[in-house]
Amino acid sequence: MDRHALPVCTLAVLWLPAAAWSQEPPATSDLAAPDLAPHAIAVRSIDPRDRDFADLEPLIDKIGAARIVVLGEATHSEGSTSAAKARLAIFLHQHMGFDVLAWEAGVLDCAAMNRALRDPSVDLRDAAQQMMRGGWDASELAWPLFEYARNSWQSPRPLRMAGFDGERPPHGARHFRESIASLEAVGAIALDAAQRRQLAGFAQRAFGYLRSDDVPIDDATRAAQLAAVRDLEAALDTDAARRRASSVERGRLRASIRQGYASEERKQGAAGGNVERRHPRDPSMARAFHWLATNEFAERRIMIWAATAHLTRNTTSLKPIDRDWDYTQAEHMGDTVYRDFGDQLYTIAVTSHHGTLGNIRASATQNRAQTQAIEPPLTGSFEDLAHQLEQPYLFVDLRGAHSGSWLQGEFVARPLGFIPTRATWADVIDAFVFIDEMEPERLR
């Protein structure tokens, strides 16, 4: 996931280039004296254990009938953001009928997490770790959400988990093999030993999740693995597969295969020194999410937990003040999802005025901290204006701002990696959650 990556075993610290703040911004006459106060909703708490949601009730009107709500984050290293998103997710489930939480994580991995969450005999830590290890599952500040999700399975309307990204270590390859084995067990597909061996090799390589330390394979081995995957795809379309396996089981496996192809394509691009231009991950995630939203969860309201950078729309319009970041050729998942679903999509981005990024380990044996201070925002930027309101937390709706409001025009904000960026943000996202002082992630 390039600079927004969430590596296995630790939440990433996003080390930002000093140039992001050393350059003077373009002229900001349009931001000389805008008044944010009329548009800002004060939020009392971001603690996910705080279930008095009176402060969030205005969001019901702002989000309205949107079917898909994105809970974004600037980096994968923000503890306060994890807490705020967890509380929002619980509110959206309880008060707005959003009963699916789709993660930037594996299709099969999240299905396994779902099964484990609803099984009280599985330790909650092990259940959460089915999705990934050392990522959101290890966040002390997001943990109440996993507790809530497990408890929800005792209710008539559980909070279901889903994934739209590639399978993760340490379980991704295993979940892929187990999915195939379950279809073989009911006679839906039939594979020989050589095909199983090649598929296991493909899974081990493809679902290593952005690893750069893979042992290279020769062209013949790669061709054999891909041939076995194509045979599997064909097997999923046979009459036997349709009779003996559900469309959801087959659809999840197909989505996982497509993610594997995307991972393999990215590795080939990396080997050719052309990672960015050949980056297939966002289109692959968009296809997987489209399948989720139109098949497995066709009648449900869905939350997306992911980096905001994946869910921007009109992405090519973004103009980072650090000229090293170039969006002019970008096509993000959000561009596709917005074309597919239009105003059914409501994207919330989180940003902050100051504080600390990174993670602090809770373990006594790994008492290490990897943190970095957030640089001061540019004068006249959204974060600067929000800070002046002297509120710890704010919600600012862009979609509902009246025509002619400065919120409907261009201004500088930094919800993408805390890099100051000029944009007509109302065309890119729908709302900001502002956290005045950011706390780093705390790992369980």
Side-chain angles (χ1 to χ4, degrees), residues 85-164:
K85 288 169 59 170
R87 185 168 187 252
L88 280 168
I90 295 168
F91 166 75
L92 290 169
H93 179 251
Q94 286 191 1
H95 292 267
M96 294 194 68
F98 285 84
D99 55 4
V100 178
L101 181 55
W103 297 83
E104 187 186 322
V107 179
L108 299 175
D109 292 346
C110 286
M113 178 172 64
N114 222 29
R115 292 191 296 272
L117 283 171
R118 68 181 181 230
D119 182 352
S121 69
V122 178
D123 184 272
L124 183 55
R125 291 168 297 180
D126 293 334
Q129 199 180 93
Q130 297 302 306
M131 172 177 65
M132 60 180 64
R133 184 168 65 194
W136 292 301
D137 69 293
S139 167
E140 185 72 35
L141 293 159
W143 190 248
L145 175 61
F146 293 99
E147 295 174 328
Y148 175 85
R150 163 149 285 179
N151 291 335
S152 76
W153 281 96
Q154 305 303 313
S155 74
R157 193 170 60 82
L159 176 58
R160 300 173 188 273
M161 304 298 183
F164 54 85

Side-chain angles (χ1 to χ4, degrees), residues 295-313:
N295 289 273
E296 183 171 2
F297 300 115
E299 303 301 322
R300 300 183 183 275
R301 301 185 88 178
I302 303 171
M303 298 172 279
I304 296 177
W305 185 299
T308 306
H310 287 301
L311 274 303
T312 55
R313 57 183 183 268

Side-chain angles (χ1 to χ4, degrees), residues 326-359:
D326 182 5
Y327 289 97
T328 56
Q329 303 297 318
E331 174 76 8
H332 287 184
M333 174 184 171
D335 292 300
T336 304
V337 174
Y338 186 69
R339 284 196 296 269
D340 290 344
F341 296 98
D343 285 344
Q344 292 182 63
L345 176 69
Y346 189 96
T347 299
I348 301 172
V350 181
T351 188
S352 186
H353 180 270
H354 64 279
T356 308
L357 300 176
N359 71 71

